[in-house]
Amino acid sequence: KQEVTQIPAALSVPEGENLVLNCSFTDSAIYNLQWFRQDPGKGLTSLLLIQSSQREQTSGRLNASLDKSSGRSTLYIAASQPGDSATYLCAVPTQGGSEKLVFGKGTKLTVNP
Amino acid sequence: SQTIHQWPATLVQPVGSPLSLECTVEGTSNPNLYWYRQAAGRGLQLLFYSVGIGQISSEVPQNLSASRPQDRQFILSSKKLLLSDSGFYLCAWTPPGGGLVSQPQHFGDGTRLSIL
């Protein structure tokens, strides 16, 4: 059974700092990995999707990497801003299926001005 | 472009009352549709998903049910709410065909349900 873990549960940094969020999964046979952002009281917004054949995916100040063999992904945020404050979640499709995602519990990021 | 709508945004209901939450998707056909519940400290829990009209898969035994009466409409219901049904309910969709193998999942803004 696939399990997804995100450590730390919360992170507080000063504005301008570069930071890394971590995601690990137990079964490396994944199709892809997605990173989402959730603002308080809101739904999830898809940030990046990395296919299993890719090692990196970039969007603006965000860079996500994937190491399937070690069961890890990182989300790198460059030059953090207070507007980046949110909860970041990662998710992978369940083993053998294409209809369901397994989510981590997220990392709550606070960027202090 | 595709959009997803959920309503209501917030709901306060007494224990034992019925529930109906609605979700619709625009700008696509035959999407895969999902209902999740998010409770504090417990992460996202998949409740139901549907790959077509009338096709519902249930993930968690509970007093909730889901229906898909139209291609882009997904409804979450209960006949009698329990205190434990409180939470943040999210609807989501993915394009048909490859599903989550190659496509991101898109979420609505959620419904905050409080049971008194």
Side-chain angles (χ1 to χ4, degrees):
Chain A
K1 178 184 173 185
Q2 179 73 270
E3 294 182 359
V4 179
T5 304
Q6 292 186 249
I7 295 174
L11 181 65
S12 182
V13 300
E15 181 177 4
E17 190 164 297
N18 302 325
L19 60 99
V20 174
L21 306 180
N22 298 296
C23 171
S24 61
F25 45 94
T26 54
D27 188 332
S28 62
I30 60 171
Y31 292 108
N32 58 53
L33 185 142
Q34 295 185 43
W35 281 96
F36 294 87
R37 167 185 173 137
Q38 185 176 28
D39 293 296
K42 297 293 186 180
L44 280 67
T45 300
S46 179
L47 296 174
L48 291 164
L49 182 149
I50 314 177
Q51 297 292 355
S52 60
S53 57
Q54 298 176 311
R55 293 191 64 88
E56 282 190 359
Q57 192 70 253
T58 298
S59 176
R61 293 183 294 108
L62 305 180
N63 177 276
S65 68
L66 176 63
D67 184 343
K68 275 184 55 178
S69 60
S70 66
R72 293 183 198 170
S73 176
T74 61
L75 180 67
Y76 174 83
I77 302 178
S80 59
Q81 303 171 358
D84 295 329
S85 298
T87 296
Y88 291 81
L89 298 96
C90 63
V92 296
T94 52
Q95 297 153 322
S98 63
E99 292 88 23
K100 297 180 284 187
L101 288 177
V102 178
F103 283 85
K105 291 188 176 181
T107 295
K108 183 177 181 180
L109 173 66
T110 302
V111 180
N112 301 300
Chain B
S1 64
Q2 301 90 3
T3 55
I4 180 170
H5 303 281
Q6 261 189 267
W7 65 93
T10 58
L11 190 60
V12 181
Q13 293 283 96
V15 170
S17 63
L19 173 73
S20 180
L21 301 181
E22 190 164 341
C23 171
T24 59
V25 179
E26 297 178 356
T28 187
S29 296
N30 196 30
N32 294 342
L33 297 171
Y34 304 79
W35 279 112
Y36 290 90
R37 178 168 58 203
Q38 191 175 34
R42 296 189 60 185
L44 270 168
Q45 180 185 35
L46 179 63
L47 301 175
F48 302 94
Y49 70 93
S50 171
V51 298
I53 294 175
Q55 300 178 62
I56 309 293
S57 296
S58 175
E59 290 296 300
V60 182
Q62 59 212 338
N63 69 321
L64 300 172
S65 62
S67 62
R68 185 170 177 173
Q70 299 180 40
D71 181 42
R72 292 168 290 172
Q73 184 185 30
F74 206 21
I75 297 173
L76 183 68
S77 304
S78 174
K79 292 182 179 178
K80 285 187 177 182
L81 285 167
L82 307 173
L83 282 174
S84 58
D85 292 323
S86 292
F88 191 49
Y89 288 81
L90 289 160
C91 182
W93 72 276
T94 57
L100 294 169
V101 171
S102 58
Q103 302 285 349
Q105 192 159 72
H106 304 279
F107 285 77
D109 285 337
T111 295
R112 175 72 59 189
L113 176 63
S114 300
I115 310 300
L116 304 179

